[in-house]
Structure formats: C-alpha cells, structure tokens
Amino acid sequence: VPELPEVQTIVNDLQKIVGDEITGFFSNWTKALKNTDIKKLNSRIRGKKIISIERIGKNILMGLSGKIFLLIHLRMTGKLLAVERETRNVERKNNKHLHHVFYLRTTNHELRTLEFHDIRKFATITFVDVKNLEDLKSKIGADPLDNSLTLANFTGAILKKPQKKIKEILMDQELISGIGNIYASEILFNANISPIRKAKSLGRIEIKSLFRNTKKVLNKAIKMRGTSISDYRDARGKKGQFQNHLKVYKRHGQKCKKCDTIIRKSIIGQRSTFYCPKCQK
Ligand SMILES: [Zn+2]
C-alpha cells in the first residue's frame, strides 16, 4: 500500500507532466470516479492544463486550469505510469488492470499518456472544485514532513486521542497524515518505543524522539524511492529500494539488527505489527 514516501516519489516523478494539456480521458471502471461521472468529468477536464501535482497525506492532488482539482487515492494497488507516447486503444484493451487513461499533449505538442493501473480496483479519482478543496484539506491531519510542523503541534496531535495506542495514532490520517503500517512499525523501532504504549504514557523525550525519527525514516524512504514489498512501482514503473533497509516490518522470526533478539509480530487495531521486544519499551 503506497504510504507517504511512495506517494511523494510518484508526485516527484509526475512533475514532468505539469504544463501538459489533457486532450481526453478514458475509464472502464467508473465506480472509481467520485463527485462526478464519466461524461461530466470528460467535459470538465478536456482542454484543461495541469497546473500542479502535489501530495496531501497519501493522496495525490492534481490542480487543473479553471481552478478545478482531481484528488487521486491509490488505495491498495493503484499505480500511475507516465508513458512517453500515446497509449493505443488496443494496448488499453489488452491490459486488464489498466482502468483509467489521461491523454496528454506536452507544450511541444507531443502526445503522451498518464496510465492508471489498479489490480484490486479500490483506487479513487475525486472531482474537487475550489470551494470544497479547503474543506477536504481540513480533514487531513498534519503532514510530518511539513517544515511548519513544530514539536508542539506534533505533540498536540498525538495527545488528541490519549487512550489510543501510539501505533494507531501514527496511522490515524486525521491526526498525522501519510503514515501506514510499514512506516509506523519502522518509526517506532527507530524511536525505541513499543507499539502498544498508550499515547498518554509517552514522556516528553519520547515524543521528541518519535517526532525526529518520523521525519528521519520518511525522508530516508523517499531517498530510496519507497518500499516495494508487494506491487508498488514509481511513475516510471520501477521498484523502490527501502525494503532492503527495513528493520522490523515483516521481519518477525528474524534477529533484531541491533540486539539479536527475535522480532515479534502481533495484531494492533486489526493490523499486523512488528517490533523488537527488547529494543522497544
Ligand atoms: Zn532489538
């Protein structure tokens, strides 16, 4: 499942299509379209220019001319591929996981395509106008990589749900955005904090360490272009490399890289959690 580093990598790769004009849009899985239908969406976005592509939490926000936006959530298996030519109809038909296609024209009048593949078909494309953009942003929690996020804000976010376990807090998109199961496990290992601790039990120094390690782990993962454990690929179709640097995630039964204790797996909030019982207190 793409988390902050994977989505950021895709967003970085997609900067090259900023400035392109959308010449058409195709979809054979219109259930993915929210707040619009295929006919309306086509008439709304055809001829529009892509003004910006940014990340909000685990979402991709595509800003178009005319102050309209498309919010893309990749969910389980969504994949965006920027292809340097026009994807032909026959290729589209032969690729059963290719469900949406944005046809593009570059400023040099060359044709290219943004292909949206999705095996499980949970990904969504939401039409957003400038009026509901702020409303939407207000429902997404603080971004851990936002430079304006202070330790005080971070502490405030964590302590909003004091009874909840810290692992669940880190993954709560309304409190802190972008972190999922992989990075929550890795951040807590790096901060030496047990995933089952309640938020209110954390001391000031522990929260500071959590704050620092959240940024550190996410930044390192972006540098490695994300984690490709299942089917994540970047916008060029290539794997990330952070799976080679994981310390606890899916390493249960193996030795801790710091202390040789066997890494354990348990279930927290219906999600598998991986931790070192000795390093994490
Ligand atoms: Zn250990």
Side-chain angles (χ1 to χ4, degrees):
V1 179
E3 300 179 30
L4 186 154
E6 291 77 37
V7 177
Q8 188 63 54
T9 301
I10 293 165
V11 163
N12 292 347
D13 286 353
L14 291 182
Q15 293 309 307
K16 67 176 176 186
I17 67 168
V18 171
D20 284 11
E21 181 193 332
I22 298 174
T23 59
F25 174 73
F26 163 86
S27 177
N28 66 13
W29 182 248
T30 55
K31 266 191 191 170
L33 308 178
K34 307 291 172 192
N35 251 351
T36 188
D37 59 42
I38 180 73
K39 212 175 147 206
K40 268 189 205 155
L41 186 63
N42 242 308
S43 70
R44 278 162 165 168
I45 69 175
R46 195 184 293 134
K48 295 287 193 297
K49 266 196 166 181
I50 299 173
I51 304 289
S52 61
I53 296 179
E54 57 182 310
R55 181 183 59 75
I56 304 180
K58 298 184 204 170
N59 301 274
I60 296 166
L61 184 71
M62 189 189 284
L64 304 180
S65 53
K67 289 187 180 161
I68 57 173
F69 301 85
L70 296 178
L71 189 79
I72 295 172
H73 199 303
L74 302 171
R75 304 280 171 199
M76 305 281 286
T77 54
K79 220 175 285 180
L80 287 170
L81 275 184
V83 180
E84 290 304 319
R85 59 190 172 78
E86 192 174 33
T87 300
R88 297 195 315 267
N89 290 351
V90 57
E91 295 172 279
R92 210 178 62 201
K93 280 175 197 143
N94 288 339
N95 194 328
K96 65 174 179 170
H97 300 306
L98 177 53
H99 295 298
H100 321 282
V101 178
F102 293 89
Y103 291 99
L104 307 172
R105 181 162 51 217
T106 71
T107 45
N108 295 329
H109 306 286
E110 278 158 20
L111 300 177
R112 58 180 165 191
T113 316
L114 180 61
E115 296 184 349
F116 196 157
H117 300 252
D118 192 11
I119 297 169
R120 301 281 299 272
K121 298 198 281 193
F122 290 128
T124 55
I125 301 173
T126 306
F127 178 81
V128 180
D129 62 26
V130 72
K131 274 178 285 173
N132 34 51
L133 182 64
E134 285 313 308
D135 187 42
L136 191 145
K137 280 185 173 174
S138 72
K139 286 178 192 143
I140 298 173
D143 194 290
L145 296 187
D146 184 345
N147 286 329
S148 66
L149 180 73
T150 62
L151 176 59
N153 301 146
F154 182 79
T155 307
I158 280 176
L159 295 178
K160 260 187 197 155
K161 293 180 182 172
Q163 301 294 339
K164 265 192 141 187
K165 295 188 176 80
I166 190 58
K167 164 107 186 304
E168 292 177 272
I169 297 276
L170 285 178
M171 292 171 62
D172 187 329
Q173 299 305 303
E174 287 182 17
L175 300 177
I176 298 158
S177 63
I179 301 170
N181 211 21
I182 297 175
Y183 297 104
S185 292
E186 292 297 309
I187 289 164
L188 288 165
F189 175 81
N190 276 268
N192 300 318
I193 295 169
S194 163
I196 60 169
R197 293 268 301 276
K198 281 184 180 171
K200 65 169 185 180
S201 78
L202 298 182
R204 250 186 43 208
I205 294 170
E206 287 175 315
I207 293 179
K208 198 173 171 185
S209 166
L210 196 60
F211 182 59
R212 236 189 9 241
N213 282 293
T214 296
K215 288 175 181 283
K216 199 174 136 189
V217 169
L218 295 174
N219 277 320
K220 187 177 173 192
I222 291 172
K223 225 177 235 172
M224 301 279 158
R225 302 185 58 80
T227 301
S228 291
I229 278 196
S230 48
D231 45 26
Y232 160 72
R233 298 291 182 276
D234 63 24
R236 309 169 195 167
K238 295 215 167 83
K239 284 186 178 184
Q241 291 303 322
F242 195 69
Q243 64 277 13
N244 303 318
H245 300 266
L246 295 171
K247 289 175 178 152
V248 286
Y249 184 75
K250 289 210 170 154
R251 290 197 66 245
H252 53 296
Q254 299 178 50
K255 282 181 181 173
C256 171
K257 292 179 179 179
K258 267 196 226 166
C259 77
D260 279 356
T261 302
I262 299 298
I263 300 295
R264 282 193 199 153
K265 173 182 169 178
S266 67
I267 307 290
I268 296 177
Q270 288 138 34
R271 304 294 302 272
S272 298
T273 297
F274 306 89
Y275 64 99
C276 171
K278 194 171 174 204
C279 291
Q280 295 176 253
K281 298 290 178 200

